[in-house]
Amino acid sequence: MKSFILACVLLLSACGGGGSTGDSASGPVSSAPETQAPDSSPLAPETTPAPETTPVPETTLYEEKTITQTIDGVLVDRTYGLRFPQSAAKEKYPILLFFHGAGGHGTDWLNNNPSLESLIDAGEFIGIFPDGYQDSWNVSGETNADDVEFVSLILNSLDPSGVFDLTRIYGVGISNGAGLVNKIAKETSIFQAIAPLLSQQTQSIAETVAPQALSVFQVNGSEDKLVPVNGGNGVADTIFISAQASAENWAANANCNMTPTSQIKSWGDYSVEEFNFSGCIDSQKVRYIIVADAGHSLSFGENFDLYELIWTFFKQSEPPQNIKLLALGDSYTIGQSVCESCSFPMQLKDALATEYSEQDQIELQIIAQTGWSTTNLKDAIITAAPATDFDLATLLIGVNNQYRKMPFDVYKTEFEELVNSAISFVRGDASKLIIVSIPDYAFTRLGQSSGPETISAELQLYNDFAQNYAEENEITYVYITDITERGLENPDLVASDGLHPSELAYAEFVQRLLPLALDKLQ
């Protein structure tokens, strides 16, 4: 869970163009009813469908889109660009909308700011670059276009089941575009955070009460003649409040401590004073920066990346999440004969951590032990008494029932009981449970000396039962047995004890588990 910018060519005269100045899981993953097993496996159920994943749209990295809007009683084709990450590494991506300055175009962001493309290609977000009607945004009567509606139309056109994370939408704007960002944030609940650059709120926007608290990253130049930092009459005869009053307005909206901290920093070739309002509700933050001796421009020097700073601020402004994982099982869950961090639950936890923000916490409780049968796991659960507020649970059990030649009916009865227990630990939500198939130890050095054909046949009965039960009860089932069936041809998939899966094998388990886990944790 891994360029646009703001356009204002009008350094000293009129807001316009772009530049740094002024105004969409591979592998055999299954989930019932999405259950799947690889066709190549001799033990895989023959009727399981092929995997269904959510890929980044099959398209070029940049797409020009058109949407129709009524302006002055006439249907007008409004344009915007979509920039996707270079490779699809996540199920969903946050959305950043970039609004150019007056006289500019959305492509100006991409053409003049390679750092934005770098962030997108790193999988941080998908960029959307709308074009203003008549190259401008209607903030204070500049045009007759309803640009708040235009943005809503864009977002409503995005596929919510695709790669767009519609719960994480952010807005960045420069000059006239910053005015629109402020306006949208005051009139709607679209944005989770905004970055108005080279403009503060107009007097009329400041009088509007926002429907929600949100984080704000505001930048102003101390010598800006088009949007005066101290407020008053500015470009296009617009009346602005001061930069300080604008930030205070946002801070009051988020119920922040109204006494900000301040510090002097360097931004490339410039000195800036940064003010931070803390103690806001819902973990929001309000920050405004005054760039000393800067005008209506974002050219701060070659060794400064403004957009990396903004994106870091956006991510830090999200409320920290506490994600709780529960893994139930036996030696295949505890990770017999591999390092403590090498078991599949630990590797899954680490993989999930890379998909979340640094401030998010991921907790893992493992109830498993080598040699446990379904009976042993039931007893251990009673003793451990896990909580009932886990966000995701896995269940992998049964190999020791087979190994000990326990009656198959015992497994069937106790497996159902364990499934019901696991569901109760994830708030009673069966969609938060993943049942994992039993590895086949016949394809190991020790398994080869213990009747491998019988082992494989018996384990297939166990796995068939678990998969059928999962399908009938609409529980996710992930088939990983075929990975362990390669143990003889690839000894690296077997641990040093010659019997259990290795760290590498568990890593392949996680490749199949991770996309489903991310989807369930949305």
Side-chain angles (χ1 to χ4, degrees):
M1 109 289 177
K2 346 138 322 25
S3 275
F4 337 96
I5 137 163
L6 337 134
C8 193
V9 276
L10 55 24
L11 264 69
L12 298 175
S13 53
C15 280
S20 56
T21 61
D23 230 49
S24 141
S26 59
V29 184
S30 68
S31 98
E34 313 147 82
T35 303
Q36 160 207 341
D39 294 337
S40 60
S41 169
L43 300 184
E46 297 178 357
T47 58
T48 340
E52 295 184 3
T53 59
T54 308
V56 166
E58 295 181 5
T59 180
T60 56
L61 294 182
Y62 182 81
E63 274 191 342
E64 192 75 25
K65 296 283 194 177
T66 300
I67 202 160
T68 302
Q69 184 184 27
T70 301
I71 304 175
D72 291 329
V74 178
L75 292 178
V76 177
D77 287 337
R78 303 289 303 271
T79 55
Y80 63 97
L82 282 173
R83 178 58 160 82
F84 296 98
Q86 195 165 30
S87 60
K90 300 179 182 178
E91 288 287 303
K92 288 186 179 293
Y93 294 85
I95 301 167
L96 260 67
L97 290 102
F98 296 86
F99 299 92
H100 60 74
H105 300 88
T107 52
D108 296 330
W109 294 87
L110 288 171
N111 295 338
N112 298 315
N113 297 279
S115 65
L116 283 175
E117 286 198 311
S118 297
L119 285 169
I120 294 174
D121 285 336
E124 295 292 344
F125 51 82
I126 293 173
I128 300 182
F129 305 92
D131 292 318
Y133 179 62
Q134 298 176 347
D135 300 335
S136 183
W137 301 109
N138 185 9
V139 179
S140 303
E142 291 84 347
T143 72
N144 290 328
D146 185 343
D147 286 320
V148 177
E149 178 192 58
F150 175 43
V151 172
S152 296
L153 290 172
I154 292 174
L155 296 173
N156 289 337
S157 72
L158 304 178
D159 182 4
S161 65
V163 295
F164 301 99
D165 187 347
L166 298 178
T167 67
R168 299 170 68 197
I169 304 174
Y170 307 91
V172 180
I174 185 171
S175 194
N176 177 231
L180 181 62
V181 162
N182 280 323
K183 181 180 176 69
I184 293 173
K186 276 299 186 75
E187 295 182 1
T188 75
S189 300
I190 288 175
F191 295 134
Q192 277 62 60
I194 60 171
L197 309 176
L198 304 183
S199 184
Q200 58 268 26
Q201 295 181 69
T202 65
Q203 193 172 66
S204 60
I205 290 175
E207 293 171 356
T208 304
V209 178
Q212 64 175 8
L214 78 166
S215 293
V216 178
F217 186 103
Q218 177 183 299
V219 178
N220 299 86
S222 68
E223 305 305 315
D224 194 331
K225 305 304 182 186
L226 296 171
V227 183
V229 68
N230 293 320
N233 193 49
V235 64
D237 291 326
T238 302
I239 306 300
F240 296 91
I241 63 173
S242 70
Q244 177 180 337
S246 183
E248 289 174 345
N249 180 278
W250 284 118
N253 180 70
N255 199 26
C256 305
N257 181 335
M258 294 305 292
T259 302
T261 60
S262 67
Q263 54 184 318
I264 303 299
K265 294 185 174 182
S266 293
W267 277 18
D269 300 331
Y270 289 81
S271 175
V272 306
E273 187 168 11
E274 177 183 292
F275 299 86
N276 285 283
F277 294 88
S278 60
C280 314
I281 60 175
D282 299 331
S283 301
Q284 305 298 328
K285 296 178 173 64
V286 174
R287 176 179 300 169
Y288 83 100
I289 298 98
I290 301 297
V291 186
D293 302 319
H296 202 73
S297 170
L298 293 175
S299 296
F300 301 133
E302 295 182 358
N303 299 317
F304 177 71
D305 190 343
L306 175 61
Y307 302 104
E308 175 70 32
L309 197 64
I310 291 172
W311 177 238
T312 299
F313 174 83
F314 283 171
K315 291 195 294 185
Q316 291 174 345
S317 299
E318 295 179 345
Q321 300 182 66
N322 185 28
I323 299 165
K324 297 181 62 177
L325 311 177
L326 176 65
L328 305 173
D330 48 37
S331 58
Y332 294 137
T333 298
I334 200 67
Q336 178 67 39
S337 300
V338 297
C339 69
E340 184 177 352
S341 62
C342 299
S343 66
F344 87 80
M346 288 296 294
Q347 290 196 53
L348 179 60
K349 174 189 174 184
D350 291 343
L352 286 169
T354 66
E355 300 289 334
Y356 286 85
S357 301
E358 292 182 0
Q359 68 265 33
D360 295 330
Q361 298 292 321
I362 301 179
E363 301 176 12
L364 170 64
Q365 181 177 357
I366 298 176
I367 303 178
Q369 188 168 305
T370 299
W372 276 3
S373 66
T374 52
T375 304
N376 300 131
L377 181 56
K378 279 184 55 186
D379 293 341
I381 286 174
I382 293 172
T383 301
T388 59
D389 61 347
F390 286 90
D391 300 294
L392 181 70
T394 63
L395 175 64
L396 195 174
I397 193 68
V399 68
N400 290 298
N401 292 64
Q402 178 274 332
Y403 180 77
R404 297 181 192 173
K405 306 297 182 184
M406 296 173 64
F408 190 62
D409 285 344
V410 171
Y411 171 78
K412 292 194 293 185
T413 299
E414 294 185 340
F415 178 81
E416 181 176 353
E417 294 172 351
L418 287 169
V419 168
N420 290 332
S421 293
I423 293 172
S424 72
F425 302 141
V426 286
R427 303 179 178 89
D429 186 352
S431 71
K432 303 296 186 180
L433 172 63
I434 299 176
I435 297 172
V436 183
S437 69
I438 303 171
D440 190 345
Y441 67 93
F443 294 85
T444 66
R445 175 172 51 84
L446 293 180
Q448 284 291 295
S449 62
S450 304
E453 294 82 5
T454 300
I455 293 171
S456 293
E458 291 177 352
L459 289 177
Q460 183 170 352
L461 291 176
Y462 281 79
N463 282 330
D464 285 349
F465 175 83
Q467 181 172 4
N468 290 334
Y469 184 87
E471 290 178 343
E472 291 170 0
N473 293 277
E474 298 186 335
I475 300 170
T476 298
Y477 180 86
V478 177
Y479 187 81
I480 51 79
T481 309
D482 63 303
I483 295 172
T484 59
E485 289 169 356
R486 296 174 10 237
L488 295 177
E489 62 185 74
N490 184 2
D492 289 341
L493 293 171
V494 182
S496 58
D497 64 1
L499 181 63
H500 290 88
S502 67
E503 176 184 2
L504 175 62
Y506 287 135
E508 293 196 22
F509 290 14
V510 172
Q511 288 178 5
R512 300 182 183 181
L513 290 165
L514 181 60
L516 289 168
L518 287 170
D519 184 62
K520 293 175 182 300
L521 291 170
Q522 288 292 331

